[in-house]
Amino acid sequence: MAIKIGITGGIGSGKSVVSRLLEVMGIPVYISDIESKRLTVSDSLIRRELIALLGEDIYTDGELNKTLLASYIFGNPEHIRTVNGIIHPRVRDDFHQWVKRYDAYPIVGMESAILIEAGFAGEVDAVIMVYAPEEIRIARAMQRDTAPRELVERRVRSQMSDEDKRIQADFVIVNDGETPLIPQVLELITSLSKNIAYLCPPKK
């Protein structure tokens, strides 16, 4: 049975870079953002529940009407919880199936910006937080998304704070542009491999 690790971090932290490094080193990673978008279109249960909630217009030409969805959830935590309650359980089920396909691997990963908030931390054996100072994160996100600073700052504020993430993380990888990433990832893999019996005890 594989050790399951969760990779998380705020916007601009570089969690996707860490995930790619892990994949290069032979560790498959489930990218929950990509898979949730796929499921939102392909999963019949999600489609049915979103249509019941928002009407037929939530899908246009078979694709998700992102503008309509965004207008529904924008600034309304209760609406966000409702939509997440439709999508997250299906992502969790899909991750379980994905893990079974990669059972021969000693370590597999799940990347999610909201790993802890969505309850996915309970699906993994160890939580890995990718950390970068807030100013660096904002600059990266502005450049990556060609977005104004105000919008990026609003997105940063809407996410769980780094302090809260650190409390719940088992490992922290620093991605500040100065601290080398590869040695940290190698150290993580070594530590996980040494503690496989503790993190993932055999089923009785």
Side-chain angles (χ1 to χ4, degrees):
M1 183 183 295
I3 294 176
K4 298 183 291 293
I5 60 173
I7 303 107
T8 192
I11 180 175
S13 61
K15 56 190 173 296
S16 295
V17 174
V18 171
S19 293
R20 283 196 293 271
L21 278 174
L22 289 168
E23 289 179 322
V24 167
M25 295 175 185
I27 296 174
V29 179
Y30 180 95
I31 311 297
S32 62
D33 185 50
I34 292 173
E35 301 303 337
S36 65
K37 288 175 183 175
R38 172 182 62 82
L39 290 167
T40 302
V41 173
S42 65
D43 186 273
S44 59
L45 181 59
I46 291 177
R47 290 179 69 97
R48 190 160 62 244
E49 293 192 22
L50 284 180
I51 289 170
L53 179 68
L54 294 166
E56 297 284 346
D57 289 344
I58 191 59
Y59 290 97
T60 305
D61 297 326
E63 295 297 320
L64 181 69
N65 185 336
K66 295 177 183 177
T67 303
L68 176 58
L69 183 63
S71 68
Y72 174 73
I73 65 176
F74 182 75
N76 192 316
E78 188 58 39
H79 288 181
I80 293 172
R81 280 192 290 271
T82 299
V83 172
N84 287 345
I86 292 171
I87 298 172
H88 290 170
R90 304 301 290 166
V91 174
R92 184 179 291 108
D93 291 345
D94 190 64
F95 176 63
H96 290 168
Q97 295 303 313
W98 180 88
V99 168
K100 289 178 182 177
R101 295 200 298 273
Y102 289 91
D103 193 51
Y105 286 77
I107 304 170
V108 297
M110 177 193 217
E111 179 197 312
S112 175
I114 54 171
L115 184 90
I116 297 167
E117 302 94 308
F120 294 149
E123 305 299 322
V124 298
D125 303 301
V127 173
I128 317 304
M129 176 195 174
V130 182
Y131 167 80
E134 186 175 294
E135 193 57 41
I136 291 176
R137 290 169 49 205
I138 291 171
R140 286 174 180 165
M142 287 174 61
Q143 182 176 25
R144 182 191 66 198
D145 301 335
T146 59
R149 183 183 182 92
E150 182 183 355
L151 177 60
V152 173
E153 287 182 341
R154 200 157 62 232
R155 290 167 66 187
V156 169
R157 302 287 175 262
S158 71
Q159 294 184 333
M160 179 184 283
S161 71
D162 284 344
E163 290 73 21
D164 290 338
K165 277 192 172 75
R166 275 180 180 272
I167 290 170
Q168 300 192 51
D170 298 290
F171 299 87
V172 175
I173 289 179
V174 177
N175 183 29
D176 57 4
E178 296 181 4
T179 310
L181 268 181
I182 291 177
Q184 294 182 80
V185 174
L186 287 172
E187 183 180 351
L188 167 67
I189 294 171
T190 301
S191 178
L192 290 170
S193 300
K194 286 180 179 178
N195 290 284
I196 189 166
Y198 168 75
L199 290 167
C200 196
K203 290 184 178 180
K204 295 181 180 179

